[in-house]
Structure formats: C-alpha cells, structure tokens
Amino acid sequence: MDSIHKKTAIVGVAESDLGRVPHKSKYQLSAEASRAALDDAGLSIKDVDGLFTTIITEGGEMSSLVMAEYMGIRPRYTDSTSIGGSSFVAYVEHAAAAINAGMCEVALICHGSTNISDRGGRAGPVSTRSSVYGPMQFEEPYGTSTVSSYALAAQRHMHLYGTTSEQLAEIAVATRKWASMNPKALMRSPITIEDVLNSRMVSSPLHVLDCCLVTDAGGAVVLTSMERARDLKKRPVAVLGTGEAHTHRMISQMPDYTETAAKISGKLAFERAGVTHKDIDVAEIYDSFTITVLLTLESLGFCKKGEGGAFVSGQRTAPGGDFPMNTQGGALSYTHPGMFGIFTLIEGVRQLRGECGPRQVKDAELALCNGTGGVLSSTGTVILGRT
Amino acid sequence: MADTPHKPVPRPYQDTQAYWDAAREKRLILQRCRDCQKFQFFPRGVCSHCLGSALEWVDSPGRGVVHTFTIAHRAPHPGFANQVPFVIGIIELEEGVRMMTNIVGCDPNSVRIDMPVKVTFEEATPDITLPQFTPA
C-alpha cells in the first residue's frame, strides 16, 4: 500500500442552489456549498486549513486567494490548480497527499459558477474578442469551440470503429432516466434515441442532446484523515486510489483522438486502490458530451478500445442496467456550470453512503469518479470505498 | 458589411511572427529541429520533442490528408455568423505534424477523413492571412 491512499476520507459533500440562480454570485454559490458540505461533515469553516478551488475567469483571478478572502479564512495549504473541469477530482489526490504529509488537516474543495446567468440566460457565442494572443491563435481564427473540439474526436472514433450516433444517444437517454429520479436535476422528462438524433445538429456528429447543459451551480467536498473522520457526523467514505494526467491543451494537439488521459489516471487509480474493474459498483463519468463518456469508458479499460459503442448499447448504463453510471443525471441532464468534476465526487459519496433514495444503487461499496477537463485534455480519477 | 465583426485573428508574438509574416506572402512554413530533426506545429521558441533551441523554418508544400473534421452549425463568435455551416478540420501534413484549419472550396458534406488536401490562403485582414485547406 502506498503512503497516502486509504488514510484519507471524504466526510462532507453538498451542492449550492442549481440551475438558474441569477441573484447569486459564483462566489456565493461556492461559499454556500462549502457551508453545507462542512455542516454535512459536522465541521465549521474555522476547521478548514487547506483550500482547493478554481473559478472560471476572464481576468486571471487568483482563485484560492479570492475564495479564502470571501469566506474569511487563512489556509496554510492552498491549491488553485486549473486543468479544467477535472481539477476538482485531481484535488482529491492533492488533498490526500497534503493531509498525509501533515500540511493540512481539513481540506475544502469548492466551486461556484454562474455560467448561464453570465451569458444573459442563454448559451450563445463563447467569444467576441477580435484578436487572439498565445497558442490559441492557431485555433480560434478557424472557429473552434468546445463542442467542435469534442466533435472532432467523435468523428474520428466513428471513422475508425464504426461507432454510431445511435450508440452515443444511448448515453444521453440512459442519463436522462437517472435524472428523472433526482429532484435536483434540471432536465427530467424522458427522451428517446430518436429525440437525440432529431435534435439540432450543433457540430457534426454531435447534436444538442449530445451536449451537456449550461447552468449555474456550486459544489463542495470536505476531506480529512481517516483517523479524524471516524469521529465526525457521517460514516466516512475512503479515498482508495487516485490518478491524474494530461496530454494536451488544444484539440489540434491531441495525440490520439480516440483516447483520453484517463488511460493513465485510471490505471494509477486502480493500481493504488488494489481493485479491478468488475469490483466497481457505480461509475460517475464526466459527461460534457456523450463522446466524452464513450472515450472515457474505453480509456479507463471498462471495455476495449473501439468497443465503447457496443458497451453502452441496450441501455446498459440506465437504471436497472448492469453498469450504473451518472446516477444523478450527469452534466447532460442534472447540472453543468462549465466545470462538472466536483459533482461526480458528490454523487459518488452519496451512493456509497446510501443516501440516494429511488436512484440508490443497491449495496454500492465502490465508486469510480472520473473528471475530464479542457478539450479531452486532462483527467482525474478517484476510486472511493464505503467504510 | 462594414458593421459585421470580423473573425478573431491572430496577434503574432515572439514565437509566431515569422509564421504569420510568411503566411502574408502566401507561404506555409514549419519549424524543424536541427538537433533531433523533427518537425513541430504550432511554432514555439523551443523544440517540443527535445527542448532544444536549434529550430529552423522550412517551406512546406502544404499537402496532407484530413485526419478528422466537423461541420460547425453554430457560430462560436459573431464573426462566423454568416459562414455557418463551415468545416473545421485537423490536417495531417506530409511532414507528420497536425494543424487545425477550415476546409474550404467544397461542399461541407463532401469532406471525408483521409481525403487529400492542399493549402490555400485567405486574407482575413490587411495584416493577417490565414492558411486554409481545400481538396487536392
């Protein structure tokens, strides 16, 4: 066993208000989620001595400085690693290392975003700037966007492996079924594969129902040592294994369009946890787009490369299927404030605590949470265990 | 048209000035490392294969194949509003490097992976010319 895993626990999780929250700032959403997660743990903000956060920003805000100041704390360990939506999953590894090295005792991971309210309530053009400095000047002048970047990967996967739009749609349909059982999910009405295929094409081959929501949201996760965790309010959830990796920043630089860094981070997490794929009871896989899920399942090794389409067919990931996945309704149907990683952790913990009501996966003992950030650029994988 | 915002254009910097200067002369140039002999794209101040600084600029014939592509139906920036649908492609050049481009001068629905393409040039502004690709 290595030096940091199995010795750290997640002891508190919470969301803020979700959906459209125009009257609250992203800072307030992050702070309110933090307060709720600390309450969930039986701790207070005074106990926090390690802060891990990043905010979507136009102006280069120093995220952990901003949030520590906002919440009135002076952490002795600080981390604003910014690798996109996977950052929060990667923070679990960073926090576990810091706690085990004695650098901090109570780690708070938090996020808040007003991604839809900032756009005036609708998902419109992502940029209006007239010139581009830095390496992105080799992409933005060609009209790239987040969805087009993921579409490039989807097209290549279809070409090499015969993956179909119907197979990608299976993921959106199954995820919506889970959302229908989550009162906090934004989109709860059932959809069919035909609905996905007939929805507006955004960037071929991805339709609008292949794409995540755009919402406001905040979330928070609290970690501490397993020793201290045993005295807190709820049964701790153990951090059994973690991994993180990244392969590129710009989609034009992606080494292999059909494989994500989860191949590396997943392997590390499984090795460190000492468990195998068939041991995993529930998977929370960042679903910015349907193709994100398919590439991640292959890269994590749940199926062979090229077989992701067959793997998700027949509503395998839906309620009642043999691979329960994205059980809160995912970024596709529950919420997506631009960076979703923290919500994979929140649901993974709730499943292992048995708190999920009608959507509870029976006897869930092991959960795998995987975040993907940037444009299929970075990943964090965390394997959590019931104690 | 005067009020239509133009597409975002590159603002050349230390690493990229020579590339955009060449593009304005309708030349595609690539960096090759004298130490490890490898090409790289996008231009950098060091070699991304060996971290050396012995980079030279090489004229490229601008031939390659479509590695992957997408047809964008939504403008990501107001400057693209009257261009949708348009094709964004990743081209693998004969030199072995990949770059993003638009695939122009053809029906978007005719674009296929592995299709041969060649470079062409689009004057975006008086100062900036963009390399683009068209079926070969």
Side-chain angles (χ1 to χ4, degrees):
Chain A
M1 193 168 73
D2 64 63
S3 60
I4 72 165
H5 297 98
K6 305 179 181 70
K7 297 178 184 170
T8 317
I10 296 181
V11 293
V13 296
E15 303 121 317
S16 69
D17 295 344
L18 306 175
R20 291 180 186 224
V21 197
H23 57 292
K24 291 187 180 180
S25 70
K26 59 188 175 184
Y27 315 108
Q28 185 177 358
L29 293 177
S30 185
E32 290 187 345
S34 298
R35 186 178 62 212
L38 288 161
D39 183 59
D40 188 51
L43 291 166
S44 91
I45 190 70
K46 306 276 182 247
D47 296 305
V48 174
D49 58 357
L51 181 63
F52 303 73
T53 192
T54 184
I55 304 173
I56 294 174
T57 166
E58 296 276 310
E61 285 175 289
M62 302 170 198
S63 299
S64 63
L65 272 58
V66 170
M67 283 313 304
E69 177 180 80
Y70 196 86
M71 296 190 288
I73 58 172
R74 297 176 182 181
R76 63 189 174 110
Y77 195 91
T78 188
D79 185 345
S80 286
T81 297
S82 179
I83 55 170
S86 60
S87 301
F88 310 90
V89 187
Y91 290 152
V92 173
E93 176 164 298
H94 303 187
I99 289 165
N100 279 285
M103 301 295 183
C104 66
E105 191 173 349
V106 174
L108 170 65
I109 302 174
C110 60
H111 180 52
S113 161
T114 42
N115 202 27
I116 190 68
S117 293
D118 290 350
R119 301 170 193 234
R122 59 186 298 273
V126 295
S127 166
T128 53
R129 60 180 170 176
S130 59
S131 71
V132 188
Y133 188 81
M136 276 302 287
Q137 66 185 233
F138 293 94
E139 292 201 349
E140 270 189 47
Y142 297 106
T144 190
S145 62
T146 306
V147 55
S148 287
S149 297
Y150 283 76
L152 289 166
Q155 190 79 259
R156 181 85 186 157
H157 199 276
M158 288 178 166
H159 172 76
L160 288 178
Y161 302 113
T163 306
T164 64
S165 290
E166 286 80 357
Q167 290 171 330
L168 291 178
E170 290 264 9
I171 296 166
V173 171
T175 306
R176 184 62 63 88
K177 289 177 186 170
W178 287 109
S180 74
M181 296 188 286
N182 181 2
K184 290 179 181 169
L186 187 65
M187 304 297 278
R188 295 194 295 270
S189 307
I191 53 171
T192 65
I193 288 174
E194 289 68 34
D195 290 335
V196 180
L197 301 184
N198 292 331
S199 67
R200 186 167 50 85
M201 189 67 85
V202 183
S203 197
S204 67
L206 298 180
H207 309 78
V208 71
L209 288 178
D210 286 298
C211 303
C212 62
L213 308 172
V214 181
T215 71
D216 305 327
V221 169
V222 181
L223 295 96
T224 191
S225 65
M226 186 60 81
E227 191 181 356
R228 181 158 180 193
R230 296 199 188 282
D231 299 328
L232 296 178
K233 201 157 128 188
K234 289 190 176 169
R235 194 163 62 179
V237 167
V239 178
L240 299 182
T242 62
E244 61 182 306
H246 50 89
T247 50
H248 60 281
R249 168 64 188 94
M250 300 194 293
I251 196 66
S252 60
Q253 304 293 308
M254 187 166 179
D256 178 342
Y257 286 86
T258 62
E259 193 170 279
T260 80
K263 187 171 185 182
I264 306 162
S265 63
K267 186 167 186 287
L268 288 167
F270 274 109
E271 283 172 2
R272 288 163 173 168
V275 303
T276 65
H277 294 80
K278 64 179 191 313
D279 299 325
I280 301 296
D281 298 305
V282 56
E284 307 296 344
I285 307 291
Y286 198 125
D287 54 341
S288 45
F289 301 92
T290 50
I291 186 65
T292 318
V293 174
L294 194 131
L295 296 185
T296 303
L297 291 172
E298 291 181 8
S299 299
L300 287 171
F302 282 106
C303 59
K304 287 186 188 145
K305 194 166 177 178
E307 294 181 359
F311 185 85
V312 300
S313 290
Q315 290 297 287
R316 186 181 198 159
T317 69
D322 65 11
F323 193 82
M325 182 184 80
N326 298 353
T327 48
Q328 82 288 62
L332 291 168
S333 290
Y334 150 71
T335 202
H336 189 283
M339 294 197 283
F340 183 73
I342 200 157
F343 301 98
T344 67
L345 300 168
I346 292 169
E347 179 69 5
V349 167
R350 286 177 174 160
Q351 285 287 347
L352 297 178
R353 286 174 172 174
E355 294 178 338
C356 289
R359 68 177 195 277
Q360 179 64 45
V361 174
K362 193 165 176 287
D363 300 326
E365 292 184 7
L366 284 178
L368 182 143
C369 305
N370 190 90
T372 303
V375 283
L376 293 160
S377 310
S378 64
T379 58
T381 310
V382 169
I383 296 174
L384 300 173
R386 195 168 74 181
T387 58
Chain B
M1 287 298 287
D3 294 325
T4 305
H6 69 68
K7 296 187 289 186
V9 293
R11 183 149 61 90
Y13 58 103
Q14 293 90 333
D15 295 350
T16 69
Q17 186 71 53
Y19 178 88
W20 295 114
D21 287 348
R24 203 166 52 180
E25 297 168 0
K26 296 187 166 47
R27 289 187 300 124
L28 179 66
I29 61 172
L30 300 176
Q31 283 180 318
R32 185 171 58 196
C33 176
R34 287 199 195 92
D35 290 338
C36 74
Q37 305 302 317
K38 289 179 179 160
F39 283 93
Q40 72 178 359
F41 194 90
F42 55 97
R44 299 159 167 96
V46 299
C47 172
S48 57
H49 304 285
C50 73
L51 210 63
S53 294
L55 296 163
E56 61 182 348
W57 290 102
V58 181
D59 276 288
S60 169
R63 281 188 246 280
V65 297
V66 175
H67 186 71
T68 187
F69 71 96
T70 179
I71 304 173
H73 291 264
R74 195 175 63 184
H77 179 286
F80 292 90
N82 55 14
Q83 304 202 11
V84 290
F86 62 95
V87 181
I88 300 168
I90 301 294
I91 304 305
E92 184 159 305
L93 292 171
E94 287 174 353
E95 291 87 347
V97 295
R98 294 192 202 129
M99 61 185 288
M100 182 176 281
T101 181
N102 297 125
I103 299 172
V104 299
C106 64
D107 176 358
N109 293 308
S110 70
V111 175
R112 296 286 179 272
I113 287 176
D114 292 337
M115 186 173 92
V117 289
K118 63 183 184 209
V119 73
T120 181
F121 293 91
E122 172 196 328
E123 290 178 36
T125 68
D127 294 325
I128 293 291
T129 295
L130 294 175
Q132 297 281 22
F133 283 76
T134 189

